[in-house]
Amino acid sequence: MEAVQAVRGMNDILPDQVGWWQEVERVARDVLERFGYREIRTPVPEKLDLFARSIGESTDIVEKEMYAFQDRNEDWIALRPEATASVVRAYIQHKLHADPGTQKFYQIGPMFRHERPQKGRYRQFHQIDAEVFGIDGPMIDAEIMHMLHLFLDRVGVTGVMLNINSLGCRNCRKAYREVLRDYLVSAGNDFCPDCLRRRDTNPLRVFDCKVERCQALIEGAPALIDYIDAECRAHFDAVRNYLEKLGTPYAVNPRMVRGLDYYVRTTFEVITDRLGSQNAIGGGGRYDGLVRDLGGPDVAAIGFAIGMERLILLLQQGREAPARVPPVFAAALGEAARSEAFLLVQELRRRGVEAEIDYEGRSLKAQMRRADKSGARYVVILGEDEINRGELQLRDMVEKTQRVVPLENAAGTIIDAAGHDRA
Ligand code: HAM
């Protein structure tokens, strides 16, 4: 019979790889919480409408990549393609804006986009997402990028670049949209059908097009950053100034518009040249106005998301997966000894030490081989003779020494030896 396979573009994360995920999440939580972010967990499915209203009807994500379906009540549901819209929805629904002061949230979890799978691009992928509500000023823009940079440094990523841009406010965008549309019209009708349509509906999205001839045609397009008003310009200059004071390296990339409609003013991406065409490790920006558009108060907001698969692919280029090694392995021969070893291993675990045992009653030689392969530092050896003498052998696999330990309070002695007592 043919075995069932996972859905295309959706990956299992197997135990020999999961160490990367645990480490990245641990560092992320540590850094985010230090900057005042609190974890939030929202559902994977949301009403389809939420994403159409926030990310934008004419974006690739909403037009082409959504996992959308009608449930048994015929309600339109989508698997979230990103986390920002969901966090905003929760923020409004639970009136989190009523709490005084700034609100900072983070979310770690799977997202879904029906893209063509390739290295670094999957249909289920994971993001570390951070969102801040209630701050207009440029200080938070710089802080969030500084935090992102610190996280990447702590987790051990090298060779990445922070690109920043300003998309101006909605007014600037309105003016620029006309300028861009005029340019696109003057560039002729050689654009792909998508871009021809977008020229009328949402010209900025032409910049997301991957078709080569479209890219060539927009090469000479005017840059948005040259059309932003004085206030937006001052905001952007202040962000840059703070980044410089913080020593966070960046480059201004006037071509970067990001693929989601909700952005205003500061946008940014972390780019690498080591992952082929999937070069964005993370990205984000301001989205003042979105909370109001989705039915909440008029609060400013900014955030970013990191793609965990891409981040881990980069980390894997530099080093081995972080290994998890049980410090103690118990090998026993004979029924009485096996029973004793079984009880000892459970006691070690109750007292906070990771310990392993051979459950199958194999030969001592086979058990020792397994102990060696497990990478355990200490091996407990128990046979009939040891039981009769009320002892066990404790072997230190690194020092290559072995000593006799009384069975009485053996767990305590082993814990002392291993320098562990995490009970
Ligand atoms: P985004 O640029 O669409 O932004 O996605 C952020 C990151 O998710 C990308 O830089 C990439 O690393 C990863 N990513 C996206 N699609 C895939 C995929 N198909 N396979 C693997 N990784 C992928 C957002 O999602 C915004 N919500 C970020 C944000 C938060 N803006 C404000 N707050």
Side-chain angles (χ1 to χ4, degrees):
M1 220 191 308
E2 202 181 320
V4 179
Q5 304 278 311
V7 175
R8 183 166 137 79
M10 308 211 179
N11 301 312
D12 298 307
I13 300 163
L14 299 177
D16 69 338
Q17 290 298 308
V18 86
W20 289 112
W21 292 78
Q22 291 172 339
E23 182 165 307
V24 165
E25 285 173 22
R26 183 181 55 74
V27 177
R29 285 174 201 284
D30 178 49
V31 171
L32 283 157
E33 303 222 354
R34 222 184 300 167
F35 279 78
Y37 291 74
R38 292 289 168 266
E39 187 169 5
I40 183 167
R41 302 186 189 194
T42 63
V44 167
E46 293 273 359
K47 291 185 181 157
L48 175 62
D49 198 38
L50 173 66
F51 302 115
R53 282 172 62 185
S54 54
I55 300 169
E57 298 273 7
S58 54
T59 57
D60 275 354
I61 298 178
V62 171
E63 270 185 350
K64 302 180 186 166
E65 300 167 2
M66 207 87 103
Y67 273 89
F69 56 94
Q70 276 183 297
D71 70 6
R72 285 168 196 279
N73 299 330
E74 301 195 349
D75 292 327
W76 278 100
I77 305 290
L79 303 186
R80 61 182 183 199
E82 58 118 45
T84 310
S86 306
V87 176
V88 172
R89 196 245 336 116
Y91 174 79
I92 298 168
Q93 183 173 336
H94 303 287
K95 298 195 171 48
L96 300 177
H97 43 83
D99 292 349
T102 318
Q103 305 280 327
K104 297 179 178 172
F105 305 98
Y106 73 93
Q107 164 138 249
I108 301 177
M111 310 294 154
F112 301 83
R113 296 183 193 177
H114 199 277
E115 297 189 76
R116 198 167 46 78
Q118 63 176 72
K119 186 178 170 199
R121 190 167 68 197
Y122 311 103
R123 289 180 174 172
Q124 174 177 283
F125 61 97
H126 297 75
Q127 285 185 345
I128 298 166
D129 177 270
E131 311 291 352
V132 181
F133 298 98
I135 310 174
D136 290 312
M139 211 177 243
I140 192 69
D141 307 39
E143 182 188 280
I144 211 168
M145 289 185 261
H146 176 59
M147 178 178 76
L148 178 55
H149 189 258
L150 180 73
F151 163 72
L152 293 170
D153 182 64
R154 286 293 143 88
V155 89
V157 167
T158 52
V160 291
M161 188 65 212
L162 175 67
N163 275 358
I164 72 170
N165 192 17
S166 174
L167 302 185
C169 63
R170 290 181 179 195
N171 283 338
C172 308
R173 281 261 280 288
K174 212 181 282 165
Y176 173 72
R177 202 172 295 145
E178 294 315 312
V179 173
L180 180 61
R181 187 172 291 138
D182 289 348
Y183 172 84
L184 295 173
V185 169
S186 72
N189 289 327
D190 246 3
F191 290 99
C192 73
D194 277 348
C195 284
L196 284 176
R197 191 166 37 81
R198 286 172 182 156
R199 187 167 69 184
D200 299 324
T201 55
N202 193 351
L204 211 63
R205 295 277 67 94
V206 170
F207 286 107
D208 304 333
C209 187
K210 310 276 186 313
V211 178
E212 243 170 65
R213 68 172 197 278
C214 296
Q215 284 182 356
L217 285 170
I218 56 172
E219 196 118 295
L224 210 171
I225 200 162
D226 295 328
Y227 291 82
I228 65 177
D229 64 26
E231 240 180 280
C232 292
R233 163 79 50 196
H235 183 97
F236 191 54
D237 289 344
V239 173
R240 295 182 56 175
N241 195 12
Y242 278 126
L243 282 176
E244 276 148 34
K245 284 192 176 135
L246 288 165
T248 303
Y250 70 89
V252 176
N253 177 359
R255 291 271 156 207
M256 186 186 66
V257 297
R258 309 268 304 128
L260 305 93
D261 277 352
Y262 50 60
Y263 291 117
V264 292
R265 293 196 162 175
T266 316
T267 54
F268 51 97
E269 265 178 9
V270 174
I271 307 289
T272 173
D273 55 13
R274 287 194 276 151
L275 287 184
S277 57
Q278 304 312 309
N279 65 349
I281 301 299
R286 263 195 183 272
Y287 51 96
D288 306 345
L290 179 63
V291 177
R292 191 193 51 217
D293 288 351
L294 291 177
D298 190 8
V299 295
I302 183 168
F304 69 85
I306 296 166
M308 294 181 75
E309 281 79 1
R310 291 185 195 173
L311 177 66
I312 289 169
L313 278 171
L314 259 193
L315 291 175
Q316 285 170 337
Q317 294 180 354
R319 52 190 160 99
E320 298 280 304
R324 201 177 108 224
V325 175
V328 181
F329 190 97
L333 203 63
E335 214 30 61
R338 286 186 53 209
S339 167
E340 196 65 45
F342 177 71
L343 295 177
L344 175 63
V345 162
Q346 308 310 329
E347 183 179 349
L348 285 169
R349 291 170 175 166
R350 281 197 302 276
R351 294 176 66 172
V353 175
E354 194 182 333
E356 223 11 282
I357 185 173
D358 178 80
Y359 297 91
E360 266 104 291
R362 273 178 275 230
S363 73
L364 197 60
K365 209 167 144 198
Q367 292 186 52
M368 289 306 288
R369 246 198 324 266
R370 221 194 116 194
D372 201 32
K373 214 171 145 211
S374 78
R377 167 82 195 252
Y378 297 95
V379 181
V380 169
I381 304 165
L382 258 171
E384 298 295 338
D385 288 353
E386 281 83 6
I387 294 288
N388 291 337
R389 289 198 296 268
E391 299 167 350
L392 59 75
Q393 307 274 347
L394 184 63
R395 187 168 170 73
D396 183 329
M397 303 294 274
V398 172
E399 300 287 331
K400 305 246 179 289
T401 55
Q402 191 160 313
R403 65 182 166 115
V404 172
V405 169
L407 270 182
E408 175 91 38
N409 191 28
T413 314
I414 294 168
I415 287 164
D416 284 345
H420 274 277
D421 200 351
R422 292 181 269 137

